[in-house]
Amino acid sequence: MVKKSASTSAPMARTILLATLTCLIVPASVAAQVPKAKVGTLSAPSTSSWMVAVMEGKQFDIKNGVDVEWVEQPSTASLYNDFAAGSYPMATGGIMTYANQYARGVKAKLFATYQLFGTSVIVNTERGPDIRSLKDLNGKELAAPLASENYKAMTIYMLWSGVDLKSLKTRNFEQPGVAAELRSPTGTAPAGVVFAQLPTRLVMDEPKKFKDLVSADELEKLWRQKTGTEYNWLLGWAVQDDFARNNPDLLQRVHNAMKETVEWFNANTDEALKLVAKKTKDPIPILQETVKAGRVKFLQMTAESQEKAIMELLKISVPLGYVTKLPDAAFFHRGLR
């Protein structure tokens, strides 16, 4: 009886083992069936990489039924050129730039917002002790990344504040170059335009030498006064027309995933910044102060719901030459929830 019991228990054991393995395999099989979506964005240290770090760390894309494959680009030129060429169907980036692509015939639409305007004018107080407001920049030398959307948007606030842009002696640098110019003993520019973590680094490293000329709250208040709209947008999401028409459900899932990512970031900022710090290699105190100062603000909404505010930005941008032609209503993707 003992031998018979042992011989009959072996098949039973194999059956139990097989059932256990099957249970373990099912989740992997289900995960493999989640549709993929390729998205272009800027790599670190760009703030676009912040939400990449959070979404990947918390897997909010998988939770929303989509596997987002981020294509992290090293420069704005590669990001926008590859999107226009169709290398990926969706991309985050500057709203003015996507409006320009639309004007040039790129068959794409804006489907969501992503990040509010947050840019600083940092003053070297040793070189410009008399610069106390934006208006005081008149006739001064200014270091800035002239091709960046941040600089172009900042000039709007300068104009509203009484700055004659033609009086500025602008010098073109990439962002790190602006900081180097402001720090250098041989530098000459008393002020520079910088954004993301960089203004925080300057002010925290040498608070007696550097000051931020205007706060994010002041810029938001000025925007509301001048446009009558709530949000001063900088970055958004664009999608290729064909993809949007053929994959409405997948587009909705991507939007939902980023919306949940942004909402979790805003509600759990300290925890989220730990994920960001691992990706960007920035010290957590720098990231914390950047968020506290309002220099980086994320808000995912449908572009359709923000059409008025976005069009206000573009109406102002056209006379300045930042957008070649005001887009029509077809620029906005419609139907997202």
Side-chain angles (χ1 to χ4, degrees):
M1 292 294 293
V2 173
K3 289 183 179 179
K4 184 178 181 181
S5 175
S7 63
T8 56
S9 65
M12 187 179 296
R14 286 194 295 272
T15 301
I16 294 172
L17 179 60
L18 182 60
T20 302
L21 289 172
T22 302
C23 290
L24 292 173
I25 290 169
V26 168
S29 175
V30 170
Q33 295 173 7
V34 174
K36 293 183 180 292
K38 188 179 288 188
V39 178
T41 195
L42 281 176
S43 61
S46 167
T47 53
S48 293
S49 69
W50 290 28
M51 293 301 101
V52 175
V54 175
M55 183 183 285
E56 289 182 340
K58 302 297 291 185
Q59 291 195 310
F60 286 126
D61 54 340
I62 303 300
K63 179 181 176 182
N64 282 277
V66 59
D67 184 1
V68 174
E69 179 186 345
W70 294 100
V71 181
E72 298 182 67
Q73 296 279 26
S75 69
T76 53
S78 56
L79 170 66
Y80 297 129
N81 290 341
D82 284 3
F83 174 72
S87 297
Y88 27 78
M90 291 172 280
T92 68
I95 289 173
M96 290 184 208
T97 299
Y98 289 129
N100 266 327
Q101 289 194 339
Y102 180 81
R104 295 200 308 267
V106 175
K107 297 185 181 303
K109 297 179 185 293
L110 199 72
F111 74 88
T113 64
Y114 180 41
Q115 189 173 329
L116 293 160
F117 178 69
T119 301
S120 299
V121 177
I122 298 297
V123 175
N124 180 321
T125 58
E126 295 173 356
R127 299 180 199 163
D130 59 330
I131 301 176
R132 299 183 179 87
S133 68
L134 288 177
K135 190 174 182 179
D136 296 330
L137 292 172
N138 274 309
K140 298 292 194 301
E141 187 177 329
L142 182 71
L146 302 185
S148 72
E149 204 139 327
N150 297 75
Y151 169 73
K152 292 172 182 175
M154 179 55 79
T155 61
I156 294 171
Y157 297 88
M158 290 179 184
L159 279 171
W160 286 341
S161 302
V163 177
D164 178 3
L165 297 181
K166 293 181 180 178
S167 77
L168 295 174
K169 301 165 186 174
T170 53
R171 296 179 60 198
N172 190 23
F173 297 89
E174 291 295 330
Q175 256 224 109
V178 174
E181 163 66 17
L182 292 175
R183 287 190 178 112
S184 173
T186 59
T188 56
V193 175
V194 284
F195 39 91
Q197 303 94 298
L198 200 45
T200 305
R201 281 185 175 278
L202 288 167
V203 174
M204 287 186 71
D205 287 350
E206 298 182 81
K208 292 182 179 180
K209 184 174 182 178
F210 297 114
K211 71 174 181 181
D212 200 337
L213 197 56
V214 63
S215 71
D217 288 343
E218 289 176 281
L219 295 177
E220 288 179 3
K221 183 178 179 181
L222 188 56
W223 173 267
R224 289 193 291 268
Q225 289 174 346
K226 294 293 185 178
T227 70
T229 63
E230 181 69 17
Y231 299 115
N232 53 343
W233 297 108
L234 179 72
L235 304 183
W237 286 74
V239 60
Q240 301 285 350
D241 270 357
D242 288 346
F243 184 87
R245 283 196 303 270
N246 297 330
N247 302 275
D249 181 62
L250 191 57
L251 188 67
Q252 182 69 57
R253 294 185 194 189
V254 172
H255 174 60
N256 292 347
M258 182 55 79
K259 192 170 189 296
E260 185 169 358
T261 299
V262 168
E263 288 174 352
W264 185 86
F265 174 91
N266 292 335
N268 305 273
T269 305
D270 286 342
E271 184 180 349
L273 289 179
K274 294 177 183 177
L275 297 173
V276 174
K278 289 180 181 178
K279 188 172 189 66
T280 66
K281 312 305 179 188
D282 288 297
I284 288 178
I286 293 289
L287 297 174
Q288 289 174 329
E289 181 57 28
T290 297
V291 173
K292 182 181 177 181
R295 295 184 179 114
V296 175
K297 290 184 179 181
F298 297 100
L299 186 57
Q300 180 87 3
M301 303 177 76
T302 66
E304 180 181 10
S305 72
Q306 294 302 303
E307 183 174 353
K308 184 178 179 182
I310 292 169
M311 287 302 289
E312 285 296 322
L313 171 66
L314 300 178
K315 285 176 185 177
I316 299 163
S317 302
V318 170
L320 293 171
Y322 300 153
V323 176
T324 56
K325 181 183 176 182
L326 194 66
D328 56 27
F331 176 56
F332 296 89
H333 175 80
R334 304 186 186 279
L336 278 183
R337 301 184 301 278

